[in-house]
Amino acid sequence: SALAAAGLMGIPVIGYLYRAGGLVQMVSSSAVPLPEAILFIVLAIGLLCARPRHRLMRLWNSNTPGGHLLRDLLPKSLLLLVLLDLLVEGGARRGIYAQENVSSLVVLLTTVWLTVLFWRAASLLNREYDVRRKGEAALSETSALLHAVSDNTPDAIFVKDRTGRIIFANPATVSLLGKPVDQIVGHTSNEIYSDPADAQIVESSDRSVMETGKVVIVEETIRFPSGQRTIYSTKAPWTDEKGKILGLVGISVDITERKRMEDALKEHETQLEELVATRTAEVSELIGHLETTREEEKRKIARELHDDLGSALTALNMHLAILFQQMPEDPRLNDRSSQVKALLSTVTQTTRRIQASLRPDKLDIFGIKTAIAEQVLEFEDYTGISCSASLPDEDVAYAPQIEIALFRMAQEALNNVARHAKASHADVVLDDNDDCVTLTVRDNGIGMSATQAVQTATHGLRGMRERAGYLGGDVQIVSTPGKGTKIIITLPKHARENTVSTPECDREEEKRLA
């Protein structure tokens, strides 16, 4: 109707343009006023524009090459044809050429314009065709490349729409799902997986991608026809140019064998750790047993020195004293007897010193406080380094293994001060706490760095650590270059159940013999 109104009202408009009275009265018996004709044409154009989805207007409004061509050439062509007709008619009226030549000139100019028009249209279409052909070639090449990648990759690649239906699946996906392509493409997870729980796992991660629009990386254990498999999937949103989510693109990697290897490796590591822990405990037990055995041997040797050699020296001293009393007065014999007495005294003192180093009598008789105090005095006399002891005021008594360990470690710490510290003063502090006893030996020597304190692996320090670890304690070394070194030894008050203790009767016998 709009096209018919525009066509009918266009006749009087042309009549007014060419001053043809017959065209003005052709539509009706009376002449159609020009404003009314133009108003009807505008109304017709408005009616056409009001329905942009109509099949006639869809071509005009489309972004296709035909729409561009129609919008570009039709208005110009109509306007140019009207202008040509007006120019030809104006030339005839001015007498430039005869009236009978008007039709020929109009036909000639129209033919030329139509030729240019069609040539222009063909050029535009050809250019559009070249662009499209290049785009199709590039698209075909890209599509072939994508198909080559997706078809030859061992990982499953799939694409799903917003409803969760698979719209693309590469051969690896088909092989993993174990179903024909027609039972995969166009189907949802509930239709593909036989177990609803597996379908729920897959759909849960799919919904997360759809709702958040972010990449989701999940590790899923799903049952397939080939068995239970562990899948490592990366799912990313699939969007259009406006950012609207159309679906998702996913890549799944079968990591079942890798997980089995990792589980086997973890199990092997656990077994190895248990074996190392067992062996470490056995070695620690052996070291503790060796330390206990060595202390027992030292105690036995010290007892034998006291019983046998000490008794022999005492008897020898008595016999020599009687013998010297019965000897006649002779200066030479008196000098010789003095030398014998001095030698006998030296042997006796050496025997007592060896006995004390093997098993200190004061430790067994008076306890750890007296033993440490005596050791500090001996260290000060022997090395010339001033040394002080800070001991608990009250009497303390610990398990025999704890006391001998404290005494030996105090000896070793003071020996290290004498050998390496270059110190002028040392302190020995014994603290009795609720559940443990702490022995601290510090000096004002040259010290060492934290790295040296950790890497220092002398036999003395290693033996201290092993002895303390066996008894359930620990040894800490705190040192700063130029500011001395502090060794902190912490031991429990009670010995472990698996340590060998000195019988109480042996201690009583040692007290009696001393």
Side-chain angles (χ1 to χ4, degrees):
S1 300
L3 290 176
L8 290 176
M9 292 297 103
I11 295 175
V13 172
I14 293 174
Y16 283 112
L17 289 176
Y18 291 99
R19 298 178 182 180
L23 294 178
V24 173
Q25 297 181 355
M26 185 176 178
V27 178
S28 62
S29 57
S30 60
V32 178
L34 180 60
E36 294 182 5
I38 295 175
L39 181 62
F40 271 97
I41 292 176
V42 173
L43 178 62
I45 295 174
L47 290 174
L48 292 174
C49 294
R51 298 191 61 187
R53 296 186 179 276
H54 192 273
R55 59 186 182 86
L56 293 177
M57 297 303 296
R58 190 184 302 132
L59 178 61
W60 175 273
N61 295 321
S62 67
N63 292 322
T64 61
H68 287 292
L69 188 63
L70 186 61
R71 291 191 301 271
D72 185 35
L73 296 182
L74 182 58
K76 298 178 181 179
S77 301
L78 294 176
L79 181 59
L80 188 56
L81 288 175
V82 172
L83 291 176
L84 288 176
D85 289 341
L86 292 176
L87 289 175
V88 171
E89 186 65 27
R93 291 177 182 176
R94 295 188 180 188
I96 299 176
Y97 42 81
Q99 186 68 36
E100 60 270 13
N101 295 327
V102 171
S103 299
S104 300
L105 287 174
V106 171
V107 172
L108 178 62
L109 294 175
T110 303
T111 302
V112 172
W113 172 243
L114 290 177
T115 302
V116 174
L117 180 64
F118 278 101
W119 199 284
R120 173 65 176 170
S123 176
L124 292 175
L125 291 175
N126 191 30
R127 186 186 306 169
E128 189 72 24
Y129 173 75
D130 290 339
V131 173
R132 178 173 296 182
R133 185 179 61 182
K134 292 179 181 179
E136 290 177 352
L139 181 61
S140 177
E141 182 179 355
T142 304
S143 178
L145 179 61
L146 291 177
H147 277 290
V149 172
S150 64
D151 291 346
N152 295 291
T153 183
D155 301 332
I157 302 176
F158 54 89
V159 180
K160 296 183 179 180
D161 59 13
R162 282 198 59 85
T163 62
R165 297 183 182 275
I166 295 180
I167 60 176
F168 172 79
N170 69 334
T173 304
V174 176
S175 176
L176 179 65
L177 294 176
K179 291 185 177 183
V181 178
D182 57 354
Q183 296 183 11
I184 297 175
V185 177
H187 295 274
T188 62
S189 299
N190 289 323
E191 299 170 347
I192 294 174
Y193 297 101
S194 57
D195 191 347
D198 295 336
Q200 182 64 28
I201 293 174
V202 176
E203 288 186 349
S204 177
S205 58
D206 292 348
R207 284 195 303 270
S208 178
V209 176
M210 300 291 188
E211 294 173 357
T212 63
K214 297 180 180 179
V215 178
V216 174
I217 300 176
V218 292
E219 184 177 307
E220 302 166 333
T221 301
I222 302 174
R223 284 177 289 275
F224 295 98
S226 59
Q228 183 169 297
R229 317 294 293 178
T230 301
I231 305 299
Y232 184 83
S233 300
T234 302
K235 300 179 180 180
W238 167 36
T239 60
D240 58 9
E241 64 275 4
K242 297 181 180 180
K244 181 181 178 181
I245 297 178
L246 304 178
L248 64 88
V249 179
I251 300 177
S252 297
V253 182
D254 188 354
I255 59 171
T256 304
E257 296 301 325
R258 188 175 74 184
K259 291 291 291 184
R260 290 176 182 173
M261 294 177 62
E262 289 178 355
D263 294 340
L265 182 60
K266 289 181 180 179
E267 183 179 358
H268 181 69
E269 289 178 352
T270 302
Q271 294 176 355
L272 183 60
E273 290 175 356
E274 293 177 353
L275 180 61
V276 170
T278 303
R279 293 291 183 266
T280 302
E282 292 177 355
V283 171
S284 178
E285 188 72 24
L286 178 60
I287 292 174
H289 178 68
L290 291 177
E291 290 291 339
T292 304
T293 303
R294 186 171 66 175
E295 292 296 334
E296 290 295 322
E297 292 296 329
K298 288 182 179 180
R299 185 176 60 83
K300 291 179 181 179
I301 294 173
R303 180 185 299 173
E304 291 177 359
L305 287 175
H306 182 277
D307 293 347
D308 298 338
L309 186 58
S311 299
L313 289 174
T314 302
L316 180 61
N317 192 15
M318 294 173 60
H319 289 306
L320 287 176
I322 297 173
L323 181 62
F324 290 154
Q325 291 177 359
Q326 296 177 358
M327 290 177 59
E329 290 293 334
D330 189 346
R332 291 178 299 176
L333 294 178
N334 291 334
D335 293 340
R336 184 60 58 88
S337 63
S338 298
Q339 294 177 359
V340 170
K341 289 179 181 180
L343 179 62
L344 183 60
S345 176
T346 302
V347 173
T348 302
Q349 291 177 0
T350 302
T351 303
R352 290 178 178 175
R353 181 168 52 82
I354 295 174
Q355 177 186 351
S357 63
L358 290 174
R359 185 74 177 187
D361 295 335
K362 291 182 176 57
L363 176 64
D364 296 323
I365 298 174
F366 301 106
I368 187 64
K369 287 177 57 178
T370 305
I372 291 179
E374 187 70 20
Q375 178 65 26
V376 167
L377 293 176
E378 292 180 2
F379 172 80
E380 192 171 16
D381 294 338
Y382 177 73
T383 62
I385 300 174
S386 65
C387 187
S388 61
S390 176
L391 306 172
D393 296 333
E394 66 277 4
D395 294 334
V396 292
Y398 310 114
Q401 294 79 18
I402 301 300
E403 290 188 347
I404 191 63
L406 289 172
F407 181 78
R408 294 302 185 193
M409 285 190 279
Q411 276 186 326
E412 184 61 35
L414 291 175
N415 289 336
N416 288 336
V417 172
R419 294 174 184 173
H420 310 293
K422 298 180 181 180
S424 60
H425 181 77
D427 294 306
V428 179
V429 181
L430 183 66
D431 292 325
D432 184 82
N433 301 319
D434 294 336
D435 299 325
C436 61
V437 57
T438 303
L439 176 67
T440 303
V441 180
R442 59 174 179 260
D443 62 73
N444 61 351
I446 59 176
M448 53 185 169
S449 63
T451 304
Q452 291 175 333
V454 175
Q455 295 179 351
T456 299
T458 61
H459 293 290
L461 293 177
R462 185 183 295 115
M464 292 169 64
R465 289 193 177 98
E466 292 294 339
R467 188 191 290 266
Y470 172 70
L471 294 174
D474 66 339
V475 177
Q476 297 180 2
I477 301 176
V478 181
S479 181
T480 303
K483 296 184 178 180
T485 303
K486 181 190 296 183
I487 300 177
I488 304 172
I489 303 163
T490 304
L491 296 178
K493 289 184 178 181
H494 305 285
R496 291 167 46 183
E497 296 181 357
N498 56 353
T499 57
V500 180
S501 60
T502 304
E504 192 67 28
C505 60
D506 291 345
R507 170 171 280 191
E508 293 296 330
E509 183 179 0
E510 288 179 359
K511 292 181 179 179
R512 180 182 61 79
L513 292 175

